[in-house]
Amino acid sequence: MSSSHYEYSLKHMGNLMGSRRPKARDDGEQSLIGHPSRDSATGGDLLDQDAPTTGFVYLLSFFSALGGFLFGYDTGVVSGAMLLLKKEMNLSNLWQELLVSSTVGAAALSSLGGGSLNGWLGRRICIILASFIFTVGGIVLSIAPDKEVLLVGRIIVGFGIGIASMTVPVYIAEVSPPQQRGQLVTINSLFITGGQLIASVIDGAFSYMSHDGWRYMLGLSIIPAALQFIGFFFLPESPRWLIQKGRSQEAREALSRIRGGQSIDSEYDTIKTSIEEEEKEAGGGGLVILRILRHGPTRRALIVGCGLQMFQQLSGINTVMYYSATILQMAGVRDDKLAIWLAAATSATNFVFTFVGVWLVERVGRRKLTLGSLIGTGLSLALLAVGFLLSAMNSPPVTLHPVGSQNSTCNLYSTCEFCMLDPACGFCYRDNGTTVYNASCVPVNQKSTDHASWGRCSNQTEATDSLFWAYNYCPTAYSWIVLMGLLLYLACFAPGMGPMPWTVNSEIYPLWARSTGNACSAGVNWIFNVLVSLTFLHVAEFLTYYGAFFMYTGLVVLALLFVQGCLPETQGLQLEEIENLFTGQLCSCGVSSPSVNRHIHYIRRGSEFSPAQYGAVDSDNAIAYITVSTVSRC
């Protein structure tokens, strides 16, 4: 991005000076401008970057991030629940995809509408509303008598997820001090992965129930939802939203409470002045989305924000999270319980490595963390693809071709790989521990995929003579490669591409566009989430499993090019400053200097520039005009 120039007249700088003016007269210009090393380290913030973060901010972040926990739990729990549901309710591939993607589709719709709700009701009320919806959805899921009611419950939960997913990062970003904003917003992603981990453990624990274990899996989300619902009645609204709505006294009280009694005058005045300037620049009334698209910096920010969310999903994360247990079965893990516990291991990896992101985000910055994450994600997806490719190349042959009245296409397949890819067929075989033998491809029972429709594998219980029935997977010696690929994928994805799209989107929009910008980007995330989750099993059927993961690898390469060219660094900047990163040409990061130096020029009274050009200044001030020139932070 080319160099951009920020001009602050003394009218706008006066509030930042406040009580520092007398000191400025004594100490000269350096008091205003600050130590050079400090400016370069903080991006030139004129507010106190070293003020301690109060415990109340962490409390706010915790209760807010419970929305992230519910987001993670309700999207993660379906992985293990689906293995039980598809047997108890005899779910086809289509119904499995519907139960997964219906939640995501509802989340996409509610996140798009969440922008208007946030602007109208505020962040606090929207989080309370989301937790109430989560509670209702959990009750419906726990008592669902059939798959149709189950679908309704998943849709209700999806509405709550959508509102929470776009509101929580915005709320945390708006109440956080700049020097810890990245870490605190990333805590939301930590809670998301923590929710997925707890969901996997719950899945494993209730998988031993012979009947209705899935009800507990899906219904336990009521507990954190109720905790958040009650907690937020005692927490304040975002001061920035209150200022925007003209509720100045409430805003001062909320900001003072959040900052723990620290002096808030400078911060309050900066926020208020910035909001007034943003409203003028944005062109007044009209639909916010149209104002965003008309205003160059916000339009560019929206493209970057939506692009990050799109590539987060196209890199296949929710394929891995929703179908992790199924993927492990596809890779040859026979036992449902073992597949569920191995899926819990992948969720644990996701959770642990999100801590790495929390630790690194304010040390290396958003941009470098995202780039490194994408490189590792692409390599691990390639490893997953290779694992499935090796399994396919060494697929056990079909050696028996029994004749039956229903045996049509299944009898034509020569290997387990082709038999597995046909949803109407399953693989019946014997295994002595080292070799697969006496294998046949026969039709699956239409009422339950747990056994064949006829023949030696038609009994639901496994025989004692080493006879096995495999549906949707093949016995293979390469399961460990797929498991290693899953773990490596999550270890690379969790620190960067997991939290950074949400963190960056919570920062890059001015206040008047923040709710709508986050709603649009979250909507894009959920739309592509629907696209990926609804099509994965069918894509795997048509491209094969290794083909699907090679496709995701190619999409990650595109994401890497996008981030390299388009994502600027927002580390350490005030929310009110970040819009200026998008004043230059879009996606020119790859051709500009990575320098973050800021050059400050000032003009004293009595110079050749008159007050008519720059505005009159009172006698207490020595500097009439300041220009801050900042090279793009790419």
Side-chain angles (χ1 to χ4, degrees):
M1 193 181 293
S2 60
S3 297
S4 55
H5 297 274
Y6 311 149
E7 298 183 349
Y8 299 96
S9 70
L10 203 54
K11 173 185 175 182
H12 303 141
M13 295 292 289
N15 288 328
L16 292 178
M17 296 295 295
S19 60
R20 286 186 252 183
R21 282 178 175 172
K23 189 176 189 300
R25 289 198 303 271
D26 296 335
D27 298 343
E29 302 137 11
Q30 193 63 38
S31 297
L32 172 63
I33 296 179
H35 194 278
S37 63
R38 179 176 169 85
D39 281 340
S40 62
T42 65
D45 289 340
L46 294 173
L47 298 178
D48 184 7
Q49 292 283 335
D50 299 323
T53 303
T54 65
F56 191 65
V57 170
Y58 292 109
L59 181 68
L60 284 176
S61 300
F62 170 79
F63 275 96
S64 303
L66 283 175
F69 179 89
L70 288 163
F71 172 4
Y73 185 89
D74 282 304
T75 54
V77 74
V78 71
S79 173
M82 198 58 65
L83 293 182
L84 306 184
L85 281 167
K86 70 182 181 183
K87 292 180 178 179
E88 288 195 31
M89 295 191 175
N90 190 28
L91 301 177
S92 64
N93 275 356
L94 177 61
W95 264 98
Q96 289 181 61
E97 290 174 333
L98 277 175
L99 288 173
V100 170
S101 58
S102 59
T103 300
V104 182
L109 292 175
S110 63
S111 64
L112 288 171
S116 299
L117 282 176
N118 266 256
W120 175 39
L121 300 174
R123 292 34 164 159
R124 175 174 169 271
I125 298 300
C126 281
I127 292 175
I128 291 174
L129 176 63
S131 57
F132 176 76
I133 294 173
F134 276 126
T135 304
V136 173
I139 293 172
V140 172
L141 288 170
S142 63
I143 63 173
D146 51 41
K147 59 188 178 184
E148 288 78 17
V149 176
L150 196 66
L151 180 62
V152 171
R154 292 288 292 166
I155 290 172
I156 293 173
V157 165
F159 286 129
I161 289 174
I163 296 172
S165 67
M166 64 82 44
T167 306
V168 169
V170 172
Y171 181 79
I172 296 176
E174 289 185 347
V175 301
S176 300
Q179 72 274 15
Q180 285 197 291
R181 186 180 61 242
Q183 283 187 335
L184 292 174
V185 175
T186 305
I187 284 176
N188 182 56
S189 295
L190 182 67
F191 272 58
I192 292 174
T193 57
Q196 291 168 337
L197 172 60
I198 296 299
S200 297
V201 173
I202 295 294
D203 283 349
F206 286 102
S207 66
Y208 295 94
M209 292 184 65
S210 58
H211 187 65
D212 282 348
W214 57 269
R215 294 186 186 277
Y216 297 95
M217 297 177 185
L218 297 174
L220 283 173
S221 62
I222 297 170
I223 297 172
L227 179 62
Q228 185 185 50
F229 181 79
I230 295 169
F232 253 86
F233 277 102
F234 304 97
L235 297 177
E237 179 57 84
S238 162
R240 284 175 165 87
W241 183 83
L242 291 170
I243 292 173
Q244 187 186 38
K245 296 299 179 182
R247 295 156 65 176
S248 300
Q249 186 58 38
E250 292 177 61
R252 291 189 71 93
E253 291 172 1
L255 187 60
S256 179
R257 186 181 174 193
I258 292 168
R259 296 292 179 256
Q262 300 171 15
S263 176
I264 61 165
D265 290 342
S266 293
E267 183 176 6
Y268 176 85
D269 291 341
T270 302
I271 295 169
K272 187 172 183 179
T273 300
S274 176
I275 291 170
E276 291 170 354
E277 290 301 306
E278 287 171 358
E279 291 291 346
K280 292 177 184 177
E281 291 176 8
L287 285 174
V288 176
I289 185 62
L290 296 180
R291 294 163 62 193
I292 289 174
L293 295 175
R294 285 196 302 263
H295 187 52
T298 52
R299 181 176 64 249
R300 297 181 194 104
L302 184 65
I303 292 171
V304 171
C306 290
L308 281 174
Q309 296 284 29
M310 176 185 73
F311 281 117
Q312 185 196 62
Q313 292 305 315
L314 291 181
S315 61
I317 178 59
N318 283 314
T319 291
V320 171
M321 295 313 300
Y322 295 157
Y323 295 107
S324 55
T326 303
I327 290 170
L328 288 166
Q329 279 199 328
M330 292 171 179
V333 177
R334 284 196 294 253
D335 183 64
D336 284 353
K337 297 180 183 65
L338 178 59
I340 289 174
W341 282 115
L342 287 175
T346 65
S347 295
T349 303
N350 196 21
F351 177 67
V352 168
F353 279 90
T354 303
F355 276 104
V356 177
V358 173
W359 184 73
L360 287 177
V361 64
E362 295 297 350
R363 289 170 171 80
V364 303
R366 287 72 157 146
R367 177 179 161 82
K368 289 181 181 177
L369 191 55
T370 305
L371 287 170
S373 175
L374 281 169
I375 292 171
T377 298
L379 293 174
S380 53
L381 282 170
L383 180 62
L384 269 170
V386 168
F388 278 111
L389 178 60
L390 288 173
S391 295
M393 292 173 64
N394 295 275
S395 181
V398 173
T399 56
L400 298 178
H401 297 274
V403 177
S405 59
Q406 302 178 33
N407 198 8
S408 53
T409 59
C410 300
N411 199 38
L412 303 177
Y413 299 125
S414 59
T415 66
C416 179
E417 173 74 8
F418 296 111
C419 179
M420 175 189 64
L421 291 173
D422 188 336
C425 304
F427 192 66
C428 183
Y429 66 98
R430 297 185 188 278
D431 188 344
N432 60 15
T434 57
T435 307
V436 172
Y437 63 100
N438 288 350
S440 58
C441 183
V442 293
V444 67
N445 190 301
Q446 295 303 310
K447 293 183 178 179
S448 173
T449 59
D450 205 30
H451 53 281
S453 62
W454 56 268
R456 54 189 182 144
C457 284
S458 58
N459 193 336
Q460 282 186 276
T461 58
E462 292 183 356
T464 57
D465 57 351
S466 301
L467 186 66
F468 296 97
W469 167 253
Y471 180 73
N472 209 35
Y473 73 92
C474 286
T476 178
Y478 297 100
S479 301
W480 65 273
I481 297 180
V482 174
L483 178 59
M484 188 171 69
L486 282 174
L487 296 176
L488 182 61
Y489 174 90
L490 292 169
C492 295
F493 185 93
M497 275 304 285
M500 286 308 103
W502 301 102
T503 300
V504 170
N505 270 283
S506 71
E507 298 175 325
I508 59 177
Y509 308 106
L511 182 60
W512 63 267
R514 194 167 295 148
S515 295
T516 301
N518 273 275
C520 289
S521 62
V524 167
N525 182 290
W526 289 111
I527 287 168
F528 279 90
N529 193 325
V530 171
L531 178 66
V532 171
S533 60
L534 188 59
T535 60
F536 170 65
L537 295 178
H538 286 90
V539 168
E541 183 180 333
F542 288 105
L543 293 182
T544 71
Y545 296 121
Y546 61 85
F549 284 104
F550 275 130
M551 180 189 74
Y552 292 135
T553 303
L555 292 171
V556 167
V557 173
L558 293 179
L560 190 61
L561 295 174
F562 175 80
V563 171
Q564 173 64 27
C566 301
L567 180 63
E569 182 55 69
T570 60
Q571 179 186 6
L573 294 178
Q574 286 280 347
L575 288 176
E576 287 69 33
E577 288 184 294
I578 292 173
E579 182 187 6
N580 294 309
L581 296 175
F582 297 93
T583 54
Q585 183 180 352
L586 179 67
C587 292
S588 56
C589 283
V591 296
S592 65
S593 168
S595 172
V596 297
N597 295 330
R598 299 167 76 93
H599 308 287
I600 302 180
H601 309 285
Y602 47 92
I603 300 161
R604 289 186 172 278
R605 292 194 64 186
S607 68
E608 67 273 21
F609 300 102
S610 69
Q613 290 172 284
Y614 295 109
V617 275
D618 58 61
S619 59
D620 289 336
N621 294 280
I623 299 175
Y625 188 76
I626 297 176
T627 298
V628 183
S629 173
T630 302
V631 179
S632 170
R633 297 161 59 94
C634 289

